[in-house]
């Protein structure tokens, strides 16, 4: 059997020597997740790297669906670990479910975030998510593209327990330097993992597999909705 070893890092194209996330230095990146923990699972390493590259990174959580106080605290801890700002977009101080909102209400909430923050890039859920409320957020985020130009990316579908979902990354972020922050941010969501006896090492496994795709130790994959090349 042929040994399909990971190519040495030195074999990477020269283009990757300059981290593409550096394009957002001194600009705002808005990451939108349906619930606390969604962003950490999918792009925790990317968000930490963006912040370290000089971007303002806002982690926008649409709503807290249950256990308001505990989950808000976990989200705050995780955002601090990643060095990012946290915003709860629908926040009446009580649990709120996205499915209870009308489509236009959800679009209005995301529109307000785009108008306020004027992001250079938006990262959010994709269309193949297993959770239906994640797809609702994706659809609402798609609509916000009419307001102004920003790069638009979708991240890996989220799950607490592995489920079969389609996702084919077209862009990768080397998170070898920030994977431990990602794992610590995920672990901060004790109510979702530690307290339920659910392991989190699958997220390291996914990052390792994506890393192998591009010849680095750990990476996160993104699908590209739109991207300005110049
Ligand atoms: Zn979620």
């Amino acid at each position: 059997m042929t040994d399909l070893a990971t190519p040495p890092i030195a074999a990477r194209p020269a283009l990757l020597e300059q981290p593409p996330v550096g394009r957002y230095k001194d600009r705002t990146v808005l990451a939108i997740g349906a619930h606390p923990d969604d962003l950490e699972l999918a792009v925790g390493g990317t968000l930490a790297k963006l912040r370290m590259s000089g971007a303002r990174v806002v982690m926008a959580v649409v709503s807290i669906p249950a256990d308001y106080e505990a989950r808000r605290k976990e989200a705050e801890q995780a955002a601090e670990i990643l060095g990012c700002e946290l915003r709860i977009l629908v926040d009446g101080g009580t649990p709120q479910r996205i499915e209870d909102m009308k489509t236009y209400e959800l679009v209005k909430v995301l529109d307000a975030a785009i108008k306020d923050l004027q992001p250079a890039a938006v990262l959010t859920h994709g269309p193949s998510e297993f959770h239906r409320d994640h797809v609702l957020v994706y659809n609402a985020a798609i609509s916000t593209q009419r307001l102004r130009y920003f790069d638009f990316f979708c991240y890996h579908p989220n799950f607490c327990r592995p489920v079969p979902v389609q996702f084919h990354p077209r862009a990768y972020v080397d998170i070898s330097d920030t994977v431990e922050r990602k794992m610590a941010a995920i672990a901060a969501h004790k109510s979702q993992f530690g307290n339920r006896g659910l392991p989190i090492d699958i997220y390291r496994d996914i990052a390792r597999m994506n890393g192998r795709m591009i010849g680095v130790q750990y990476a996160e994959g993104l699908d590209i909705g739109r991207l300005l090349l110049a």
Side-chain angles (χ1 to χ4, degrees):
M1 199 171 144
T2 315
D3 179 21
L4 296 172
T6 307
I9 290 174
R12 283 183 296 154
L15 183 65
L16 292 181
E17 296 303 322
Q18 180 64 38
V21 293
R23 70 198 258 116
Y24 303 116
K25 186 176 185 297
D26 298 326
R27 302 170 81 191
T28 299
V29 174
L30 172 60
I32 304 169
H35 312 114
D37 84 3
D38 286 329
L39 293 170
E40 293 84 335
L41 300 181
V43 282
T46 298
L47 300 185
K49 184 162 184 172
L50 282 162
R51 182 71 197 107
M52 287 163 64
S53 302
R56 177 190 181 195
V57 183
V58 177
M59 295 173 69
V61 171
V62 176
S63 77
I64 298 178
D67 301 330
Y68 181 88
E69 291 299 335
R71 296 204 66 185
R72 187 184 176 104
K73 203 162 285 178
E74 290 171 353
E76 285 169 356
Q77 285 171 0
E80 196 178 329
I81 290 167
L82 298 178
C84 303
E85 297 172 37
L86 175 71
R87 280 196 188 188
I88 311 295
L89 299 183
V90 181
D91 189 10
T94 55
Q96 173 99 22
R97 289 197 175 271
I98 292 166
E99 294 97 323
D100 294 334
M101 299 175 74
K102 303 277 189 198
T103 301
Y104 71 85
E105 291 173 331
L106 184 55
V107 172
K108 200 171 161 186
V109 164
L110 297 194
D111 277 358
I114 298 288
K115 286 174 185 167
D116 178 29
L117 295 165
Q118 303 195 10
V122 169
L123 292 78
T124 191
H125 297 284
S128 64
E129 284 269 4
F130 184 75
H131 296 286
R132 294 298 94 191
D133 44 2
H134 292 187
V135 179
L136 295 175
V137 171
Y138 163 74
N139 286 329
I142 282 284
S143 299
T144 67
Q145 293 181 103
R146 76 196 186 290
L147 296 176
R148 66 192 303 274
Y149 183 82
F150 47 79
D151 294 339
F152 186 86
F153 301 97
C154 295
Y155 49 69
H156 194 287
N158 278 330
F159 43 73
C160 285
R161 297 176 177 87
V163 288
V165 281
Q166 287 192 350
F167 183 67
H168 304 291
R170 291 177 171 85
Y172 294 89
V173 179
D174 177 357
I175 63 159
S176 303
D177 292 342
T178 55
V179 68
E180 300 309 332
R181 276 179 192 263
K182 172 190 174 94
M183 296 308 295
I186 294 171
H189 292 277
K190 292 190 187 73
S191 68
Q192 303 303 293
F193 298 100
N195 296 356
R196 296 157 83 186
L198 293 178
I200 62 171
D201 54 330
I202 186 172
Y203 308 108
R204 185 185 290 277
D205 295 341
I206 292 170
R208 191 178 283 126
M209 190 200 72
N210 279 322
R212 284 187 172 257
M213 293 285 190
I214 57 167
V216 303
Q217 202 174 4
Y218 293 103
E220 285 169 342
L222 297 168
D223 198 359
I224 298 173
R226 63 181 185 182
L227 177 65
L228 184 63
L229 289 175

